[in-house]
């Protein structure tokens, strides 16, 4: 679909959606996105121009179905996939991609760190993906110097970044905000630095006593991103890795730098979103969202969770869906999912499913709480079906129809129960949905209540 | 343990904890609870006297390990078990009870509606339970008139209530707040009345054109409760059954009545908590909690979820854990769990486990967000273990150690990996917890940063 759209942009020095938006141009991508979101296309263009919305759409990802990320549109969900040296291979990753798209991932990040040919896996994923693909190029940069972090140079980074851009990656996590001056601020943390990319840069800076090369070469990255329309996903290297470390000086110092970098990218019409924590107690979530808006001039916020407690490994899709739902309500644009395997192992396809549904719930609940027009329509439709014992329709309207059906059928599998006015939870006589208050009976009751007899009777009680 | 404690209270006309508290007496139960909560016993007594905390402890439930429910103490979690006519029998229910207690249920409600001898099941559960047991006597009252709702009389209710009290039930859901005047208010709802007990009473009132017998005989129930120290759990018959119906006139009208009934029970020193919704969008949760405090003079609030969206049957432990965590943060005293089978079927033991862990997460996250002293200690300890790759300790400190271990071992089962500085998620080279920022290196860095050379170097960047 996009092949024709991007063909005519060939040779232009800046092909970013923001660049066009700022010239008043409405691109095909903006048009497509406006229809998907049921929003006026002018609003889409204005939000992209303002930097409050991004349309991550590398011109080399031609099979992309464009989508947008920003507070004016529905809250989005990202799923991470990717091979690790301990497990996974290309077909498994493609299966995870399919699983992610099937269950509603709005974007997918390929976080492969090994376990196969990284370029091959990435190219296959981009080719197969209708949703934007994000990457963290520093992982491959480290592989390119055989894991010897101290040997990394700015050119190694730029080389890999350009390669990802050519391959069609739509957005990249760039850890440019962690500065050498920030490092002493992590002293009092329990879990130090828990961003993989940020940790690599921290060790590099400690070793060389030099400034973060992604910061010093930020303009070079901007130049690459312009030519392909890659969006920045500014990495939060100093995000808290536990609730104890949340909202501390280190995190907030980096956030300030991320704001400066946001505005620097915007000077070149390059799209930006900003990554956020992590592990945050519930009472600090609103502060975190508002602070990001303030420091980063309302560039879309993209948070990982946050987990609202640290004591539930095995259930961190839940600990983090709580934080994610709240973050979305407060105005976060995209939620990065967490699977039940977080902190424990590499997720498989079933984990991807469970993580994604938890996050679709969070994002949808956020849309409802923000009163987005029409956000509750599907809920109301399902509630009607529930009240009318239309089981098939309930399943169909569910975020995961197969699961809903499976659970229902576990105790009452026969077809006849698909029209039954009960399920095994309460049995045939106690289903609360059977309490149909008849309209005629209510009218009669109202007449009675208006009578003198009723008033006397009820006054006695 | 309690046999001796209650023996000396025999023959007293009011044996409620509130009655003793108001006389300035510190009971053994208050003492026990104070130690469990690590709170001053005077505070416990004062809160119980004030009605802001309850200690549900029927004098006939002698193997109970007393606990408290109230805003001054940790947020609690209730698990529902119970047979339905379609499935379940006594051993299965006892297995669910054990499962619930194992995974941290603070109280358990037996909601059996059939499928066996209700008295036998209930007695067995009470005998086996160290936690308070709650029931909804109206279900058995309906069974006693063979399901013919219109035949129910106030005496049928009182008879069953007294029986449950004798058996040792610690708190009972009493649907006394739904009045005949409220019924016309449900007209514009999608799902009408979704409380099982409330629905029975609504149909009774519609049929007889008479006031709710539990309301007209509320003082008789008070008299029974006094003699056994049963706590009221005032049922919210008009709770919303979908997000569309949340916070409507019907719900709020009943809440006002629940407040009046609370104060009526308090006049007789009978303990009260108040049940709440249900299905509520995130942006209405704080309102619901504050409104209950206002209407019910701060009697402990006990909410079911609430679910923050209706579109995820099969995952309603998650849709509702989001709402429950927030409700707990805003000051709700106890959260009634919801299992993945909600709306679909009767939960089995594994569902009880999944529902409970989701709610332990919610309650704990609420305690952290409310800054309860020591609430985050376990999180910090686990975070230290995580940073130090002490896998065994991480598992041990988890809400569900078996699950955490199982997930970890799925990819790296060998013993050697229990001391490995990585898991399969990121592999041996990319685990972010490996980024140990060495204290000496940091000191050296700080010296460098203070130097003129550094200042010149960094100014260039």
């Amino acid at each position: 679909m996009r092949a024709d759209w991007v063909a005519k942009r060939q040779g232009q020095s800046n092909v970013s959606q923001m660049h066009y938006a700022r010239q008043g141009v409405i691109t095909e991508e903006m048009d497509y996105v406006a229809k998907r979101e049921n929003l006026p296309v002018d609003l889409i263009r204005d939000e992209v121009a303002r930097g409050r919305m991004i349309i991550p759409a590398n011109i080399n990802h031609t099979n992309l179905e464009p989508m947008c990320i920003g507070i004016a549109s529905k809250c989005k969900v990202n799923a991470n996939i990717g091979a690790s040296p301990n497990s996974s291979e290309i077909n498994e990753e493609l299966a995870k991609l399919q699983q992610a798209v099937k269950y509603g991932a709005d974007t997918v990040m390929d976080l492969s760190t090994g376990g196969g040919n990284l370029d091959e896996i990435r190219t296959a994923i981009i080719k197969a993906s209708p949703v934007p693909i994000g990457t963290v190029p520093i992982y491959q940069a480290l592989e390119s110097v055989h894991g010897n972090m101290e040997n990394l140079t700015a050119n190694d980074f730029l080389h890999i970044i350009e390669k990802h851009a050519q391959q069609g990656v739509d957005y990249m996590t760039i850890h440019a905000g962690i500065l050498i001056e920030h490092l002493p601020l992590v002293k009092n943390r329990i879990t130090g630095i828990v961003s993989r990319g940020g940790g690599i840069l921290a060790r590099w800076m400690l070793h060389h006593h030099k400034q973060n090369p992604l910061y010093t070469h930020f303009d070079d990255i901007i130049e690459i991103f312009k030519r392909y329309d890659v969006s920045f996903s500014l990495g939060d290297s100093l995000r808290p890795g536990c609730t104890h470390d949340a909202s501390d000086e280190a995190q907030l110092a980096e956030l300030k730098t991320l704001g400066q970098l946001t505005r620097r990218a915007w000077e070149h019409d390059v799209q930006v979103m900003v990554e956020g924590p992590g592990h945050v107690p519930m009472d600090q979530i609103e502060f975190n969202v508002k602070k990001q808006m303030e420091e980063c001039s309302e560039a879309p916020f993209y948070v990982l969770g946050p987990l609202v407690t640290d004591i539930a490994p095995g259930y961190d899709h839940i600990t983090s869906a709580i934080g994610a739902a709240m973050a979305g309500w407060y105005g976060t644009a995209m939620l990065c999912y967490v699977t039940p395997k977080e902190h424990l192992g590499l997720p498989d396809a079933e984990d991807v499913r469970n993580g994604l549904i938890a996050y679709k719930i969070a994002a949808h609940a956020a849309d409802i709480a923000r009163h987005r027009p029409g956000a509750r329509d599907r809920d109301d439709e399902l509630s009607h079906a529930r009240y009318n014992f239309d089981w098939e329709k309930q399943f169909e309207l569910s975020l995961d129809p197969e699961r809903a059906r499976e659970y229902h059928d576990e105790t009452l599998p026969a077809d006849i129960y698909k029209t039954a006015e009960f399920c095994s939870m309460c049995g045939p006589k106690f289903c609360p949905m059977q309490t149909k208050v008849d309209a005629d009976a209510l009218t009669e009751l109202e007449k009675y209540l208006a009578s003198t007899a009723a008033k006397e009777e009820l006054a006695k009680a």
Side-chain angles (χ1 to χ4, degrees), chain A:
Chain A
M1 173 172 75
R2 285 186 77 220
D4 293 341
W5 303 355
V6 299
K8 60 188 175 202
R9 298 173 201 158
Q10 292 298 343
Q12 297 182 10
S13 63
N14 190 336
V15 294
S16 86
Q17 295 291 323
M18 187 181 216
H19 186 62
Y20 295 120
R22 286 178 163 187
Q23 294 172 318
V25 174
I26 289 176
T27 62
E28 290 85 349
E29 286 84 355
M30 294 174 204
D31 213 46
Y32 190 88
V33 159
K35 291 197 181 80
R36 276 185 97 156
E37 295 282 343
N38 198 21
L39 287 172
V41 70
D42 287 0
L43 175 74
I44 300 292
R45 185 199 52 203
D46 293 350
E47 289 290 299
V48 171
R50 167 66 178 75
R52 206 155 36 202
M53 175 183 285
I54 66 170
I55 299 178
N58 187 313
I59 52 165
N60 288 346
H61 187 186
T62 48
N63 58 324
L64 173 75
E65 296 166 11
M67 53 75 74
C68 64
I69 302 166
I71 195 169
S73 62
K74 285 198 281 280
C75 188
K76 302 303 190 298
V77 165
N78 172 71
N80 292 333
I81 60 172
S84 93
N86 282 86
S87 70
S88 209
E89 44 111 74
I90 195 159
N91 287 330
E92 217 175 296
E93 293 313 310
L94 287 176
K96 285 188 211 164
L97 170 70
Q98 277 165 11
Q99 186 88 333
V101 172
K102 172 179 172 182
Y103 288 107
D106 296 295
T107 80
V108 167
M109 289 192 82
D110 169 21
L111 302 187
S112 294
T113 54
N117 183 317
L118 293 179
D119 288 306
E120 211 176 283
I121 291 182
R122 189 179 319 110
T123 313
I125 287 174
I126 293 169
K127 210 176 147 195
S129 177
V131 303
I133 296 296
T135 59
V136 188
I138 194 171
Y139 303 158
Q140 196 176 10
L142 187 63
E143 285 293 306
S144 76
V145 292
H146 310 291
N148 299 311
M149 161 280 297
E150 64 280 7
N151 292 350
L152 274 170
T153 66
N155 277 339
D156 294 324
F157 286 116
L158 294 172
H159 173 70
I160 298 288
I161 288 170
E162 173 107 33
K163 190 195 321 215
H164 284 214
Q166 275 170 349
Q167 288 168 343
V169 170
D170 301 290
Y171 64 89
M172 294 185 211
T173 297
I174 301 293
H175 299 89
I178 178 173
L179 301 185
I180 193 166
E181 298 91 325
H182 300 155
L183 299 183
L185 301 177
V186 305
K187 263 188 191 167
N188 297 321
R189 287 187 158 190
I190 290 182
T191 54
I193 298 172
V194 295
S195 150
R196 296 197 290 203
I200 295 165
L201 288 162
R203 282 182 288 153
W204 190 94
M205 290 187 275
L206 270 176
H207 181 87
H208 290 289
H209 280 195
K210 285 224 159 73
Q211 191 52 285
N212 177 351
L214 294 174
Y215 179 80
T216 54
H217 289 74
F218 194 69
D219 289 341
D220 298 323
I221 305 173
I222 287 175
E223 289 307 316
I224 297 171
F225 280 15
K226 264 173 160 172
R227 284 187 279 119
Y228 300 91
D229 195 10
V230 177
S231 299
F232 277 104
S233 184
L234 291 176
D236 58 331
S237 304
L238 294 174
R239 68 170 171 267
C242 60
T243 48
H244 172 277
D245 296 348
S247 318
D248 72 349
E249 217 187 330
Q251 182 195 324
L252 298 180
E254 183 189 33
L255 184 60
K256 197 173 268 300
T257 309
L258 295 179
Q260 292 158 0
L261 294 171
T262 296
R263 289 179 290 275
R264 186 142 37 128
W266 284 355
E267 282 169 24
H268 299 269
D269 300 349
V270 168
Q271 304 189 94
V272 179
M273 62 181 167
V274 177
E275 298 184 11
H279 294 238
V280 183
M282 280 193 286
D283 60 310
Q284 296 174 28
I285 295 175
E286 184 170 17
F287 164 80
N288 271 270
V289 176
K290 301 296 182 229
K291 190 77 181 165
Q292 185 273 343
M293 288 183 188
E294 183 192 317
E295 293 284 6
C296 302
S297 308
E298 302 180 328
F301 200 23
Y302 167 30
V303 302
L304 176 64
L307 286 71
V308 295
T309 167
D310 307 310
I311 63 168
Y315 298 84
D316 278 334
H317 59 314
I318 300 179
T319 62
S320 66
I322 294 169
M326 294 174 69
W329 172 33
Y330 295 133
T332 296
M334 186 157 77
L335 312 172
C336 181
Y337 89 161
V338 169
T339 79
K341 289 280 168 61
E342 185 76 13
H343 300 117
L344 295 170
L346 194 70
D348 60 22
E350 189 63 13
D351 295 314
V352 169
R353 175 188 187 177
N354 282 315
L356 254 173
I357 298 292
Y359 274 69
K360 293 300 282 185
I361 288 169
H364 183 72
D367 286 338
I368 292 175
R370 288 190 71 83
H371 299 265
R372 294 196 192 284
R376 221 193 47 222
D377 291 354
R378 185 168 164 186
D379 297 73
D380 292 356
E381 215 183 328
L382 192 145
S383 300
H384 274 295
R386 183 169 279 158
Y387 198 55
N388 295 324
F389 295 105
D390 187 342
W391 291 99
E392 290 295 345
K393 190 148 193 189
Q394 278 184 72
F395 300 154
E396 189 190 303
L397 287 165
S398 299
L399 281 177
D400 187 350
E402 289 161 51
R403 179 82 80 212
R405 182 186 300 275
E406 173 200 334
Y407 281 0
H408 174 273
D409 289 3
E410 210 171 284
T411 40
L412 300 176
D415 264 357
I416 191 174
Y417 293 115
K418 295 297 187 306
T419 52
E421 302 211 333
F422 62 90
C423 73
S424 67
M425 183 169 182
C426 308
K429 283 184 298 184
F430 280 97
C431 175
M433 292 288 166
Q434 289 170 358
T435 314
K436 299 286 185 287
V437 180
D438 181 70
D440 292 343
L442 268 189
T443 310
E444 218 180 287
L445 175 67
E446 283 181 294
K447 265 189 233 155
Y448 166 71
L449 287 172
S451 70
T452 322
K455 276 168 193 153
E456 279 169 15
E457 170 72 21
L458 296 175
K460 274 189 291 178

